[in-house]
Amino acid sequence: MRRGTADTGAGPGAGESVTAPWSQHLRRARLAECGGVEITGTAQHEAWQAKALPPVEQLRPDLWSVPVPMGGPLRYVSVYAFALDGGGLGLIDTGWGSDESWAALNAGLAEIGGAVADVRGVLITHLHFDHLGLAERVRQASGAWVAMHPADAAIVGSPPHRDPATFVAEEVDFLVSLGAARDEAVSDVGPSESLEHFTRMALPDRLLEDGEHADFPGWRMRAVHTPGHTPGHLCFAEERTGLLFSGDHVLPRISPNISSTSTGTADPLRDYLDSLAAIAREEPVEVLPAHEWRFRGLGSRAAELVAHHEHRLAELLEAIRQNPGSTPWQLAAHLTWSRPWDQYERRMRIFAVTETDAHLRLLASRGLVVSDGGPVPTWTLALR
């Protein structure tokens, strides 16, 4: 539930698919380019470089982006607000569940001439706290419905994810199953008191399956199921304008964290690569992600993300060759990250280890590695 977009390994040469820095001299007579993508959210990009919050922007008639701040390296979530036929607003995502984020969302909607009370419906791309965190406050203030994919709704509504103590125990047990010492797992997960807010997130009023259209009057907002980052991640393809709201599935600079979880799918990285290939078959007019900046060039960006994961898989294979019989917890220490491994702890270490495990699962499904089948599996290269 708390596994947001990872920035681990996001430095040059760190095994991360990071798009090359933007250079002003490349602008020529067109929008700035960043690696294989073309930056269209130039104000967002300039704010990013200045380490500032970008402005509220009108992107199309009756469509705005509202930056809502959050902690961590991603800085903010772009909440998208739509004026609906017949009155009222629709939102994609809501922002991190904090008072600061709530104030920013209210101020942003006021800047476009609206208010939280005007919201009629909220589309949630996925269950993470920076996207779903404010949904309950929006619903209480407006009476709006909240919609998400059934797979994520099932996780949010499951008994372990409504009780902090059970939630912590489940995550500790999962990390131990990946090779962590129990005391290290307990330390990394933290006390249940610090995680209570994650277990009070909004349960949806409506469920959206792949291909269904959201109830946004005046818009043709089609749900596109893109599992990987979470089991029920949704992108939204707006058929009238050709826009793609990509959530965390495709970002212009960093790769989303793809992790195994105790409540997730058996092979999340395979899910991600499959859904990435499916969504990249058509080139949208513009990609509107939840973080960083808007861009064009979905096909190029998807190819970069595939290349990043294939590089990571090759690096992991070599680590297993050199360290046979290792657990995911041990193997993560042999991979390249954005800082020395001994500086990793708590959430960063959990992200890294569970992402390593997701890559292991894909290697196993390709027949390249095998586990010993024990309660804490260890991995070796498959005999070829």
Side-chain angles (χ1 to χ4, degrees):
M1 184 176 295
R2 299 180 302 287
R3 303 185 197 285
T5 306
D7 204 19
T8 53
E16 185 67 29
S17 181
V18 180
T19 310
W22 172 59
S23 297
Q24 185 75 22
H25 68 273
L26 293 178
R27 290 189 78 163
R28 295 186 289 275
R30 43 186 269 169
L31 293 171
E33 292 187 350
C34 185
V37 306
E38 180 186 4
I39 298 173
T40 54
T42 51
Q44 293 173 318
H45 186 265
E46 289 164 3
W48 185 275
Q49 291 182 309
K51 295 181 169 53
L53 198 67
V56 174
E57 293 185 78
Q58 184 168 12
L59 311 180
R60 300 289 190 280
D62 297 335
L63 170 63
W64 299 264
S65 65
V66 178
V68 176
M70 58 179 285
L74 290 175
R75 306 179 192 169
Y76 66 90
V77 174
S78 290
V79 172
Y80 295 100
F82 302 77
L84 305 178
D85 282 359
L89 295 171
L91 301 181
I92 292 182
D93 290 333
T94 60
W96 188 270
S98 69
D99 291 340
E100 179 191 10
S101 298
W102 177 247
L105 179 62
N106 278 271
L109 294 181
E111 189 172 331
I112 69 174
V116 171
D118 298 325
V119 178
R120 301 292 178 260
V122 179
L123 302 177
I124 299 296
T125 59
H126 62 293
L127 58 77
H128 291 150
F129 198 62
D130 50 331
H131 300 261
L132 181 58
L134 285 178
E136 186 58 39
R137 289 181 77 166
V138 170
R139 180 162 57 190
Q140 292 296 326
S142 65
W145 49 261
V146 176
M148 61 195 307
H149 190 273
D152 275 10
I155 295 172
V156 176
S158 64
H161 288 78
R162 307 309 288 182
D163 176 69
T166 305
F167 191 10
V168 166
E170 181 184 74
E171 185 158 26
V172 167
D173 286 345
F174 183 65
L175 293 177
V176 169
S177 78
L178 299 182
R182 185 164 291 273
D183 60 340
E184 286 187 296
V186 169
S187 175
D188 281 0
V189 173
S192 60
E193 295 78 15
S194 67
L195 304 176
E196 287 183 0
H197 51 295
F198 295 112
T199 64
R200 296 196 299 266
M201 292 197 293
L203 298 173
D205 307 287
R206 304 181 182 185
L207 300 177
L208 277 175
E209 297 276 7
D210 182 65
E212 294 184 338
H213 287 83
D215 183 19
F216 273 15
W219 301 86
R220 288 283 295 170
M221 195 72 66
R222 174 169 48 85
V224 184
H225 186 208
T226 49
H229 186 54
T230 67
H233 189 286
L234 288 173
C235 295
F236 293 97
E238 210 296 300
E239 296 174 341
R240 216 170 37 85
T241 58
L243 302 176
L244 176 70
F245 298 85
S246 65
D248 284 1
H249 184 59
V250 183
L251 302 173
R253 184 182 63 96
I254 64 172
S255 64
N257 174 257
I258 310 298
S259 281
S260 61
T261 67
S262 60
T263 55
T265 58
D267 198 346
L269 183 54
R270 180 178 292 276
D271 294 339
Y272 178 72
L273 294 176
D274 287 348
S275 55
L276 189 65
I279 205 168
R281 289 176 188 143
E282 295 184 12
E283 194 68 47
V285 170
E286 187 177 22
V287 181
L288 286 69
H291 303 286
E292 299 183 328
W293 45 82
R294 303 185 304 281
F295 68 95
R296 295 192 184 101
L298 176 61
S300 295
R301 184 62 186 135
E304 290 175 354
L305 288 165
V306 171
H308 156 63
H309 285 291
E310 292 297 336
H311 174 81
R312 195 55 145 187
L313 290 164
E315 185 184 25
L316 181 54
L317 268 177
E318 179 61 19
I320 297 168
R321 187 188 69 78
Q322 294 186 20
N323 304 275
S326 295
T327 66
W329 189 272
Q330 294 167 330
L331 288 166
H334 297 289
L335 301 180
T336 308
W337 303 100
S338 60
R339 63 186 67 181
W341 180 249
D342 59 10
Q343 295 181 20
Y344 275 63
E345 60 180 359
R346 300 192 183 279
R347 282 294 123 194
M348 286 186 69
R349 181 157 60 176
I350 291 173
F351 289 152
V353 171
T354 53
E355 189 167 291
T356 299
D357 187 56
H359 284 74
L360 274 170
R361 294 181 184 208
L362 181 54
L363 289 175
S365 71
R366 291 179 177 180
L368 298 175
V369 300
V370 293
S371 80
D372 65 354
V376 181
T378 61
W379 295 88
T380 56
L381 298 182
L383 297 176
R384 305 289 289 181

